[in-house]
Amino acid sequence: MKAFKYLLVLFLGCLILNPSFSQELLINHVNIITMENDQVLEDHSIYVKDGVIMEIAPEEEITVAGIRTLDGRGMYVFPGLAEFHAHLPNPDQFGAVFQEEVLWMYLANGVLRIRSMLGHESHLDLKKRVESGEIAGPRMFISGPSLNGSSVENPDSGRQMVRDQKSAGYDHLKLHPGLDDPKFLAIADEAKKVGIYYGGHVSLDVGLVTSVKNGYRSVEHIDGFLEAMLPDGTVIDPAVSGPFNLNLVGQVDQSKLQELIQLCLENKTWIAPTLTLFERYFGYQPAYELRQQPEMFYLPGQLTTQWYNTKSKLEADGLLAEAKVKPFLEFRQKLFLDLHKAGVPMIMSSDSPQVFNVPGFSIHREIESMSKAGMSNYEILKTGSVNCADYFEESGEWGVLKPGAAAEFVLVQKNPLEDLTTMQKPQAIMIQGKFIQRDELQLQLNLIRQKYLRQ
């Protein structure tokens, strides 16, 4: 380990002193989790050039002269994780610098791809700056501004918003509640015409079945399932049903789930579960405890105070009592596993930054939640790699480690197929042809923490 760290320092030193140095690298003696299967290629070498994996093989089989080499003996390499329900900040909130800090928080936690789900025009420029190498950050897929009951005045305006977002360069559409059937169906139809994915929350007046049948690419938060599993004729009164209708969980008819599963399979619908969001935002762990967790100190104090006030109000109103919330969380956990076991594809998502979900850090809390729900370590890794590439029909281009794929990977000390917690401390990452070691990642985190240091 000491030899590995020493070589990393030498290597990074060369890059700093010679910025024109070609990003060509051979890492020897590493254990590689390719994610093409659940096997580990022990004591292998990985050869990277210009951001692409050129070769993976036992060391003696790779002969490349005159390039930098590193000894990664004992380390494990796996594809970088993806956070597929992120919310890049709006620069009007905490400034443009905070946007860049969020990108570093993702990288420092091994998150090398994000799908941002609440668009702002600045996000398109941020994406370009990352892709050009001007700033460091994960690769991005950007959703446009929300399409919801308030922003969409009528079906025609919904169609126009779809066309505008497609022409602006957004990768995805994000739908929020409040849409009725005419507005939703117009949006869905236009999105298919222009060729852009769409998904999000399930509007109560539209419902899960109509959303899925009309091309929802992803259902965020496993939304709409509870409502679709209520007895026929149930009238939902938002004034008493609670956040996400959690007070109605006792009325759920489990016999309705199989038909919904089949519907999702037939329509190739993906699920973004965000388990940790509900456990922290709508869970019964007190706001004052969450506010003191270590990762909160990487954020502006004003933001964590907003989160504290939001959750504290729900607590004061009696909406988050354990007796009320625990059955709802258990229902979501079981629903998540039932959908997964049935083959409905999952994409790793935590919803960050969001109430007590800190960018990057919250992915590891999501991983813990998926594990507690019963998903295997390998399948968890798939949700944050292979599945996310499949989502955008880019299978084999990233999310796997093989020749020709993007060189986006993380080095850790232990085998994540056996110990998920090892992913919480990347020893190094490779992203867009740049090899960044833990010292640099930790330095960036320290600078952020120091900036927001508060009494």
Side-chain angles (χ1 to χ4, degrees), residues 47-171:
Y47 168 40
V48 173
K49 182 178 180 180
D50 298 330
V52 177
I53 297 173
M54 306 303 293
E55 191 173 358
I56 293 176
E59 180 183 1
E60 63 273 10
E61 296 181 14
I62 298 181
T63 55
V64 184
I67 67 168
R68 298 285 176 174
T69 62
L70 296 177
D71 188 341
R73 200 176 305 268
M75 305 289 284
Y76 287 81
V77 179
F78 63 93
L81 298 172
E83 157 67 292
F84 257 37
H85 194 117
H87 286 294
L88 286 172
N90 181 329
D92 297 334
Q93 297 168 322
F94 299 103
V97 174
F98 181 54
Q99 289 182 310
E100 297 181 28
E101 293 168 349
V102 164
L103 300 184
W104 271 112
M105 283 187 262
Y106 284 125
L107 293 182
N109 283 278
V111 177
L112 308 188
R113 294 259 176 171
I114 64 170
R115 183 184 61 149
S116 184
M117 293 295 285
L118 190 61
H120 184 271
E121 59 183 2
S122 69
H123 298 164
L124 295 172
D125 181 62
L126 197 66
K127 177 180 177 179
K128 291 178 182 177
R129 293 174 65 202
V130 169
E131 290 179 346
S132 70
E134 179 184 344
I135 59 175
R139 301 295 295 268
M140 304 178 197
F141 300 97
I142 306 295
S143 292
S146 170
L147 287 82
N148 57 68
S150 298
S151 66
V152 180
E153 295 181 1
N154 52 56
D156 287 341
S157 69
R159 289 182 182 275
Q160 188 62 52
M161 288 178 70
V162 171
R163 292 193 293 269
D164 290 346
Q165 291 193 21
K166 173 67 175 181
S167 63
Y170 291 105
D171 305 298

Side-chain angles (χ1 to χ4, degrees), residues 291 296 299-309 356 454:
R291 191 182 192 182
M296 300 304 154
L299 298 172
Q302 182 183 348
L303 180 57
T304 55
T305 297
Q306 289 175 3
W307 292 352
Y308 174 81
N309 291 339
F356 297 118
R454 51 196 182 273

